[in-house]
Amino acid sequence: MTSFTEGMTTLATESNPFRIAIVGSGPSGFYAAEALLRRPHVRIDMFDRLPTPFGLVRGGVAPDHPKIKQVCLVYDKIARSSGFAFLGNVTIGKDLSIAQLRDAYHAVVIACGAPGDRRLGIPGEGLPGSHTATEFVGWYNGHPDYQDHKFDLSHHTAVVIGQGNVAADVARILATPVDCLRPTDICEAAVEALARSCVRNIHIIGRRGPVQAKFTSVELKELGKVRDCVALCDAADLHLNPTSIEELTDIHADESRKNVETFRAFASSANATAPAARRLHFRFLETPISINGGGGVSSVTLAKNTLVGQKFEQAAVAGPSLLELPCGLVFRSVGSRGMALPGVGFDECSGIIPNAKGRCLDAGKPVPGLYVTGWIKRGPTGLIGTNRADSVETVASIFEDMAALDPAPRPGAAGLRAVMSADGARVISYKDWQAIDSCERERGRPKGKPREKLTHVLDMIAAADQSAHD
Ligand code: NAP
């Protein structure tokens, strides 16, 4: 039998639980918690800078994709497990440092995603009317950071740069009749602005060809089914170069084959002449060279590209031929980017925390007790479920290292309360979140919506306080 003193110096025992802080409450954070909680005597404190959990599932997944959001039920179950605590409205790197977390816990897992944006690095990128997809998605999804952002939807033509699933979301929300969006959890201000939208033509620009478009096949097909909208592409763009034809025959090219089939349907003459309120134009082999305008965007200059390189490594090379596409709005959807967290190594080039199987590295050596998972570990790729395997790998590293970690008991959040609320900041527990959640559902009920989101942090805190007083 283990004596009490032995228990104190052995990690993951009743008297000395293995205390782990997770920074970020999106999918990768929750999958890490799930894998960690499979072992006994583990205590998880999950921090988020927002009072609301679930990261991109709440703030990124499109409102007309409610099925995808059901994954929150899985996260909710994890959050209700014994040994789990949520600490929202706490910004790591500002309210608490990584060093303070490392003192208070045996291990720290960074799961903060990739909240930045890749830049195009072209003139006019910062003009009024040129937005990142992140800003637009955050705005319609009620993310508190983007509620003051203004989108002038009085223009007839919008350009979306990039051909990934985020570009698909942006284009679909612009194209969808607002009556189809009203019964979703889209935030009220956005749906009212979209109701007044004059956008009729949406151009979705790919720098490479239809075979290389990054849409998943289901998301691309969906763009052909938007009510009162027609999806178009030029049949000439479907004359593929020999290397792209070779790519299509590869055993792993199932998604690309399906996409090319969908593009062929979009290129049909029936689509070209179909009456519709809105038109989605898929364009290929075009690179934006500049975004033009005086007080706001008036056009985008595009260079015509050719593809150069080997199978699956073809790059777009701009030729001398340029064209100007008039438009009043630009959405740059060219991928997101991780951001440095003070006190943790960061590779500026790839936008990730250097790591070996989730162990954070400093000068090539693992930093004891510091781990990473999700987009900040591998880059902004994959679907929500991709994060499960990623987090399982990181957690395997943690348990492999456990015997070598300093087993001295750690206080966890109890040792940090004074620092966290030093400036009067309200730390949001999971129970507080449940109160916010109920309040949002109640606000949505009379409108036939699953929820009407609270879009300001102070309103979220007020909902939590109200419930605490009731
Ligand atoms: P993404 O899939 O990496 O797509 C980025 C797009 O931007 C690509 O078409 C890329 O073209 C283009 N691009 C990059 N740099 C460019 C430049 N300098 N000039 C012109 N074009 C440029 O990124 P994402 O759309 O942000 O999606 C991120 C991840 O989230 C993906 O794994 C996606 O599947 C996932 N996601 C899934 C869903 C869903 O399941 N419904 C919804 C949203 C997001 P190249 O290919 O030539 O680089």
Side-chain angles (χ1 to χ4, degrees):
M1 210 172 115
T2 333
S3 75
F4 182 69
T5 26
E6 261 172 348
M8 290 288 279
T9 48
T10 309
L11 207 45
T13 58
E14 200 170 339
S15 56
N16 186 21
F18 189 11
R19 293 196 187 276
I20 299 151
I22 298 180
V23 181
S25 67
S28 63
F30 268 102
Y31 291 129
E34 181 185 47
L36 286 162
L37 287 166
R38 288 211 180 101
R39 293 266 184 120
H41 310 305
V42 166
R43 301 281 180 278
I44 308 281
D45 287 338
M46 179 180 275
F47 293 85
D48 202 291
R49 72 185 180 91
L50 290 180
T52 52
F54 310 142
L56 276 182
V57 179
R58 176 177 165 101
V61 172
D64 56 344
H65 281 171
K67 274 198 186 140
I68 299 181
K69 290 176 201 248
Q70 280 179 8
V71 72
C72 286
L73 297 173
V74 175
Y75 306 154
D76 181 67
K77 198 168 165 217
I78 297 165
R80 289 165 191 260
S81 317
S82 75
F84 179 98
F86 175 70
L87 296 101
N89 201 30
V90 181
T91 303
I92 304 305
K94 187 172 141 257
D95 302 321
L96 285 179
S97 67
I98 285 287
Q100 285 171 315
L101 282 189
R102 292 184 65 203
D103 279 348
Y105 294 87
H106 296 109
V108 175
V109 181
I110 300 164
C112 59
D117 292 288
R118 279 193 205 131
R119 286 183 56 78
L120 286 169
I122 60 172
E125 197 167 359
L127 273 175
S130 164
H131 311 276
T132 62
T134 307
E135 290 161 344
F136 189 59
V137 170
W139 173 71
Y140 65 63
N141 272 331
H143 191 298
D145 286 1
Y146 304 102
Q147 295 314 297
D148 295 333
H149 210 92
K150 297 277 176 275
F151 298 91
D152 179 359
L153 302 173
S154 66
H155 301 279
H156 281 229
T157 304
V159 162
V160 181
I161 298 168
Q163 292 192 332
N165 281 339
V166 173
D169 285 344
V170 168
R172 198 179 63 258
I173 295 296
L174 287 171
T176 299
V178 81
D179 286 348
C180 302
L181 296 175
R182 283 195 194 281
T184 71
D185 71 359
I186 190 167
C187 78
E188 194 169 29
V191 89
E192 291 317 324
L194 286 164
R196 296 188 297 275
S197 169
C198 299
V199 173
R200 294 289 171 262
N201 285 294
I202 301 144
H203 295 263
I204 309 162
I205 316 272
R207 63 178 168 180
R208 299 192 287 160
V211 177
Q212 292 79 29
K214 292 235 173 88
F215 309 116
T216 43
S217 59
V218 171
E219 272 64 28
L220 178 62
K221 262 202 184 135
E222 195 183 4
L223 287 169
K225 294 178 189 157
V226 177
R227 207 181 77 200
D228 206 10
C229 174
V230 67
L232 304 161
C233 77
D234 188 342
D237 284 335
L238 297 166
H239 296 302
L240 307 173
N241 71 352
T243 315
S244 295
I245 293 172
E246 237 186 280
E247 286 180 15
L248 271 192
T249 58
D250 191 276
I251 188 164
H252 301 297
D254 206 32
E255 284 292 284
S256 297
R257 276 193 293 276
K258 287 182 189 162
N259 280 353
V260 169
E261 233 175 75
T262 304
F263 287 131
R264 288 199 201 287
F266 291 172
S268 75
S269 53
N271 270 32
T273 53
R278 295 195 168 106
R279 302 178 108 66
L280 287 166
H281 308 262
F282 289 87
R283 306 170 63 115
F284 302 98
L285 296 170
E286 291 176 344
T287 289
I289 297 297
S290 63
I291 301 174
N292 316 308
V297 170
S298 59
S299 69
V300 177
T301 302
L302 300 164
K304 245 0 231 179
N305 297 331
T306 46
L307 291 179
V308 174
Q310 295 183 354
K311 188 175 158 185
F312 295 123
E313 285 169 22
Q314 294 191 86
V317 175
S321 153
L322 300 181
L323 63 102
E324 197 170 337
L325 177 60
C327 61
L329 267 170
V330 170
F331 296 95
R332 298 161 353 245
S333 183
V334 294
S336 41
R337 200 174 186 286
M339 277 156 74
L341 190 59
V344 187
F346 186 70
D347 180 351
E348 281 295 340
C349 201
S350 55
I352 62 165
I353 294 174
N355 70 91
K357 294 190 172 176
R359 295 176 177 95
C360 294
L361 300 177
D362 182 21
K365 294 219 171 76
V367 182
L370 193 59
Y371 300 87
V372 63
T373 185
W375 278 7
I376 192 66
K377 172 187 176 189
R378 67 174 192 277
T381 58
L383 306 179
I384 291 170
T386 315
N387 292 296
R388 183 174 247 143
D390 197 352
S391 291
V392 163
E393 180 190 66
T394 295
V395 170
S397 297
I398 296 174
F399 285 130
E400 261 173 53
D401 297 351
M402 199 169 81
L405 293 175
D406 176 0
R410 304 297 170 99
L416 296 168
R417 290 271 168 203
V419 197
M420 280 191 283
S421 38
D423 58 356
R426 168 80 150 86
V427 179
I428 297 288
S429 66
Y430 200 72
K431 191 160 174 266
D432 291 330
W433 151 247
Q434 287 168 322
I436 296 169
D437 184 36
S438 302
C439 169
E440 290 188 343
R441 287 177 194 274
E442 223 150 90
R443 280 158 48 91
R445 203 164 295 131
K447 302 176 190 172
K449 298 175 70 162
R451 67 178 65 240
E452 184 61 63
K453 285 181 185 167
L454 295 167
T455 57
H456 290 92
V457 168
L458 288 179
D459 292 338
M460 296 171 186
I461 293 172
D465 285 343
Q466 175 67 41
S467 160
H469 288 133
D470 286 348

